[in-house]
């Protein structure tokens, strides 16, 4: 669960490889997987609550391929029936409401555990240093099947997911005080310039600007 209070009239969201169920401007919204930074309109002081969904869960609960939600914010009501009884607690306790909505969707969808295990395993593999071909072989999948599986579960292929996870890992290291050059090397970039190019591509800013 997370909460963000807007400091201005726009919030920039950097790709992080996950999907969220959010309470945004008094409505339930599904935040799809991003491939680049998204500018979201906000009101200063307004709070947005979110429930981060584990890998593959959004597809399992909503019944649509994650790639249909890539780079989009979609009202939950446009994707699945919204349990009215769960919304009753929205005014008093938004986190509780989000959990109740998630549980109601879970009971209705009854996700296949094997699909969720596959999604979790692929997500773990995408955080490592193995190639897409090696990951496919490890999971008994062809390259083409892995691509389709990535689109369905994550919203894009494993190569894109790997790049986003690597970028987020480098930022995490830098935020804890690691020098950018060392963070770049530890995360698997050729050099700091390589990290800077990825930052401009994914976030539209330099790593230094993102850390301010």
């Amino acid at each position: 669960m997370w909460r963000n209070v807007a400091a201005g009239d726009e919030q920039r969201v950097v790709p992080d490889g996950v999907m969220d169920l959010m309470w945004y401007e008094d409505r339930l919204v599904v935040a799809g997987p991003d491939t680049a930074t998204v500018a979201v309109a906000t009101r200063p002081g307004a709070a947005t609550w979110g429930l981060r969904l584990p890998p593959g869960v959004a597809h399992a609960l909503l019944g649509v391929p994650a790639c249909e939600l890539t780079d989009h914010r979609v009202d939950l009501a446009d994707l699945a029936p919204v349990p009215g009884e769960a919304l009753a607690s929205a005014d008093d306790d938004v986190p509780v409401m989000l959990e109740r909505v998630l549980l109601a969707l879970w009971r209705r969808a009854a996700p296949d555990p094997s699909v969720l295990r596959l999604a979790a395993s692929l997500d773990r593999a995408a955080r490592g240093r193995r190639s897409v071909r090696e990951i496919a072989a490890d999971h008994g999948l062809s390259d083409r099947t892995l691509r389709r599986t990535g689109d369905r579960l994550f919203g894009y292929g494993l190569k894109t997911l790997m790049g986003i996870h690597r970028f987020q890992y480098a930022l995490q290291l830098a935020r804890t005080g690691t020098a950018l050059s060392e963070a770049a090397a530890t995360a698997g970039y050729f050099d700091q310039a390589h990290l800077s190019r990825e930052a401009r591509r994914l976030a539209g800013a330099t790593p230094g600007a993102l850390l301010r």
Side-chain angles (χ1 to χ4, degrees):
M1 189 76 67
W2 55 265
R3 178 176 181 263
N4 179 72
V5 178
D9 57 9
E10 184 180 271
Q11 181 79 29
R12 296 182 66 80
V13 181
V14 177
D16 57 9
V18 300
M19 299 176 63
D20 299 274
L21 176 64
M22 305 189 306
W23 184 247
Y24 167 73
E25 294 191 343
D26 297 326
R27 68 185 199 274
L28 286 165
V29 174
V30 176
D34 297 322
T35 58
T37 293
V38 175
V40 180
T42 57
R43 291 177 288 106
T48 298
W49 286 89
L51 189 60
R52 182 151 294 178
L53 302 176
V57 166
H59 164 66
L61 298 188
L62 304 175
V64 298
C67 58
E68 294 186 10
L69 305 176
T70 301
D71 294 322
H72 292 295
R73 305 293 185 268
V74 183
D75 281 7
L76 177 62
D78 293 335
L79 300 170
V82 178
E85 66 279 6
L87 290 175
S89 58
D91 292 336
D92 300 321
D93 196 329
V94 174
V96 168
M97 180 272 291
L98 285 172
E99 290 179 355
R100 287 175 176 172
V101 169
L102 178 66
L103 288 173
L105 293 173
W106 192 282
R107 286 192 292 267
R108 181 179 62 83
D112 182 348
S114 66
V115 174
L116 298 182
R117 285 195 295 270
L118 174 61
S121 180
L122 290 173
D123 185 71
R124 285 193 301 271
R127 298 172 186 270
R129 298 290 182 87
R130 300 180 68 76
S131 68
V132 171
R133 181 157 294 180
E134 288 172 329
I135 293 173
D138 289 345
H139 290 81
L141 304 172
S142 68
D143 291 354
R144 179 176 297 181
T145 300
L146 179 62
R147 173 70 203 206
R148 290 199 301 265
T149 301
D151 286 344
R152 180 166 49 90
L153 298 178
F154 306 112
Y156 29 59
L158 262 288
K159 186 174 181 179
T160 298
L161 182 63
M162 290 164 68
I164 291 171
H165 281 331
R166 179 173 63 175
F167 177 62
Q168 284 290 339
Y169 180 43
L171 288 183
Q172 177 186 346
L173 290 171
R175 289 186 178 116
T176 59
T178 303
L180 279 174
S181 58
E182 184 180 347
T186 303
Y189 290 99
F190 294 122
D191 50 29
Q192 186 175 335
H194 186 196
L195 170 59
S196 295
R197 289 194 297 273
E198 281 293 275
R200 292 189 187 95
R201 183 178 69 85
L202 291 171
T206 65
L210 294 172
L211 296 173
R212 292 180 191 141

